[in-house]
Amino acid sequence: MRLPIGSMDVSASGGTVTLIGRRGDRWQNVSTREMSLQRAIALLEPTGQDGSHLDPAFEDAVASDSEHAPRFASGDEILWRYGRHVEAARVVRDDDRGLVVWIPSGSARLEPVPADGRRHRDVPLDERFLTPWVMAETAWTGPGILRIAPAGRPWSLWFFRRPDGGPAGTYVNLELPHRRVAGAAPGIFSRDLVLDIWIDAEHAGTEDVWLKDADELDAVVAQGRFTTEQAEAVRVLADHAGHDLIVPGAWPLDEAWERWSPDPEADVPVGLPDSAEMDAARKRSGRTSLEG
């Protein structure tokens, strides 16, 4: 028996999830306001980009849907940056629709972690974004993951898989539209927007759709990272993803990427570049999530 709409659970990563619908059904809005996609993005970009990227390459980054945006070749090793988070990835395909990358298991990443040694999810929600942090160099664990960033859209899709290679579900990560850079450390810049959507792998055509981390979005408002209006803009982005992507099964959901597998040579872990900028990134720290 399937769970009723409105059921709540805890995701594998520790986040709170709420069952908000099923594919094939009409999308039920999670926001309380009508707002264009462009307006919602504009409300989020000042705090989403300004000061979040200390890498000087950000100054040369170009919007991913611009005719001047650099394109990456299949097999290129690039950096996928979310503010302080830096992940190494390998390009599968890149065209006008968007960027497809593969992150093999064991690939390197930098991420901010609580300075006292706790995991991010172990910090109580009411202090999670007020805790001192330092950078840690880790690796992608579990099966490799395919990520796709549609050009100019405020989300990317993460195709998770089970240890046997079968599809485990699809994560719609809400984030600022990507900016791209070429040069010595090619890659993309974005900023995670806390709220996300999870699409189960079971029941093809009527998969359960879950809203993830709504409570954490409320917490970032209470702790000063977003304003109330910006949090509502994030919910608006979730609704645009529902109406424009999930309900119609638009690209890349229509290309069976959940069944794609890399060639053995493409499944070798990707490392971070050896550079002064990366060394500086490793040394970052702050007293709260708003600093550093």
Side-chain angles (χ1 to χ4, degrees), residues 207-289:
E207 298 95 331
D208 287 345
V209 178
W210 300 78
L211 190 69
K212 182 176 181 292
D213 292 336
D215 55 344
E216 194 166 66
L217 183 61
D218 292 336
V220 300
V221 174
Q223 295 168 47
R225 179 174 163 188
F226 285 164
T227 66
T228 300
E229 187 177 30
Q230 287 171 326
E232 192 61 22
V234 175
R235 297 183 189 98
V236 167
L237 296 186
D239 287 335
H240 279 282
H243 291 294
D244 301 344
L245 171 72
I246 297 171
V247 169
W251 190 82
L253 292 175
D254 59 356
E255 251 190 346
W257 284 105
E258 69 275 8
R259 298 291 179 183
W260 179 91
S261 294
D263 295 330
E265 59 269 21
D267 202 27
V268 177
V270 186
L272 296 170
D274 184 12
S275 67
E277 291 77 15
M278 199 55 56
D279 288 341
R282 291 184 175 94
K283 297 174 183 176
R284 295 179 68 178
S285 62
R287 290 179 296 177
T288 75
S289 68

Side-chain angles (χ1 to χ4, degrees), residues 39-232:
R39 171 62 178 161
I41 293 170
L43 284 171
L44 291 159
E45 278 191 326
T47 56
Q49 301 284 30
D50 292 355
S52 65
H53 300 293
L54 293 185
D55 191 324
F58 179 70
E59 299 301 322
D60 298 321
V62 179
S64 63
D65 57 349
S66 167
E67 62 178 326
H68 304 295
R71 292 277 180 249
F72 306 123
S74 176
D76 282 355
E77 296 181 3
I78 67 169
L79 297 179
W80 187 294
R81 304 172 179 91
Y82 284 129
R84 302 175 186 116
H85 293 253
V86 184
E87 299 179 89
R90 181 171 287 113
V91 175
V92 174
R93 194 178 81 188
D94 188 20
D95 56 31
D96 290 343
R97 289 175 298 178
L99 173 65
V100 183
V101 306
W102 173 248
I103 299 179
S105 182
S107 293
R109 61 205 306 252
L110 283 178
E111 59 181 327
V113 298
D116 60 10
R118 289 179 291 178
R119 296 188 314 132
H120 176 74
R121 292 287 184 184
D122 292 337
V123 180
L125 195 57
D126 61 359
E127 61 180 88
R128 189 167 294 169
F129 300 96
L130 301 175
T131 301
W133 59 273
V134 296
M135 296 299 292
E137 188 161 355
T138 61
W140 183 264
T141 58
I145 186 169
L146 187 84
R147 288 188 190 171
I148 301 181
R153 308 301 276 176
W155 51 72
S156 64
L157 289 86
W158 303 14
F159 293 86
F160 283 84
R161 58 193 64 206
R162 303 188 304 264
D164 65 3
T170 303
Y171 198 71
V172 181
N173 196 73
L174 300 178
E175 57 199 48
L176 288 178
H178 287 191
R179 300 178 68 84
R180 294 170 169 231
V181 66
I188 63 95
F189 291 93
S190 182
R191 182 71 182 268
D192 181 76
L193 297 176
V194 182
L195 193 67
D196 301 299
I197 301 168
W198 173 260
I199 306 170
D200 278 347
E202 295 78 20
H203 308 289
T206 64
E207 298 95 331
D208 287 345
V209 178
W210 300 78
L211 190 69
K212 182 176 181 292
D213 292 336
D215 55 344
E216 194 166 66
L217 183 61
D218 292 336
V220 300
V221 174
Q223 295 168 47
R225 179 174 163 188
F226 285 164
T227 66
T228 300
E229 187 177 30
Q230 287 171 326
E232 192 61 22

